[in-house]
Amino acid sequence: MKFGTKAIHAGVEPDPSTGAIMTPIYQTSTYVQTSPGQHKGYEYSRTHNPTRTALQNALAALENGKHGLCFSSGVAAADAIIKLLKPGDEVISTNDLYGGSFRIFTKVFQNYGIKFRFTNMRDLSKVEALVNANTKMIWVETPTNPLLNIIDIKACAGIAKKNNLLLVVDNTFATPYLQTPLDLGADIVTHSLTKYMGGHSDVVMGAVVVKDEDLAQQLAFIQNSCGAIPGPQDCFLVLRGIKTLHLRMERHCQNGRKVAEFLKGHPKVEKVYWPGFEEHENHEVAKEQMRDFGGMVSFVLKGDRVEDAISVLEKVKYFTLAESLGGVESLCGHPASMTHASIPREDRMKAGLRDSLIRLSVGVEDAEDLIADLEQAIG
């Protein structure tokens, strides 16, 4: 199936008892057994739920994987992945990372003896230099949050395979519509389904997709044992959301391009971060591993003054100042005080995340209205 057909049909079947075309919401905690240990594949909804199963199958199909697992949030998915490791193990990740991932890595798992090393992963020689006998995992985020840096997934897969490491790719910003990391050599793909996959700012959920059976069983054991699972209503909402993923992503990409080009030409804007520009670092890598360049755009104003950035964020009308991203509505945010506030300022500055940076999640409204909104806010 092509992607659009897959988004609508993969992993789901009409309800066999009624013929309902939409997957039912199985709002139940337990299931009848005909005899002790004899059931229809479902015992208890922490372990399995038919609505969740349909979503997990759909996600696996979209990512060209074999096994999907859903969690109560994107951070819960990350939590499950890191629980594959043990004290003394090390993880290499990018220094331009989502603040929630950085927080759970450094404030939670580091307390349990797992070490995290952060570096500029656009320079793969720096990644290779950090590999040692204790390294067990490479954690990639591409495009990164919020600087939209592009990391070469295939090249990272080469390093991982050579050193017998697990390669994890956070595919939240791109979605499987724009890139499929498993096809590029990744072992694990993770998502905050809260964002583009759900697409309507009405659900919080995370997911993991893999090809390897043993890896799937390990993660399923963690999912069931630790219990950070989503409810069937939320699974239904994401199932509904992914049916229009291809349509929404096309519009996000179109609008993202128009907004980025407008900002690039604005006399008060110093720099625009968007991987579709030829001068964007690793633009050629983005062209090779992505279908398009997405709807996320970040920028800084000339003068690099925090108060100017705050003024813009207070004046917008169609862009809404709020956490999160990837919904049909356009959102804007100030990473230094919002999504990335948990990262020490010194580390943010080293990575290039300035205090005045504004991050836009460009929605699916009419681009002309969004541009007019930014024009009046910037002045």
Side-chain angles (χ1 to χ4, degrees), residues 133-149:
N134 295 324
T135 308
K136 296 296 185 290
M137 181 181 290
I138 298 175
W139 186 287
V140 170
E141 190 180 283
T142 182
T144 62
N145 182 3
L147 296 175
L148 290 309
N149 286 318

Side-chain angles (χ1 to χ4, degrees), residues 255-271:
N255 283 359
R257 178 181 295 275
K258 291 176 181 177
V259 167
E261 290 174 346
F262 160 75
L263 290 169
K264 186 180 180 182
H266 197 288
K268 289 190 176 181
V269 173
E270 177 189 324
K271 184 174 178 60

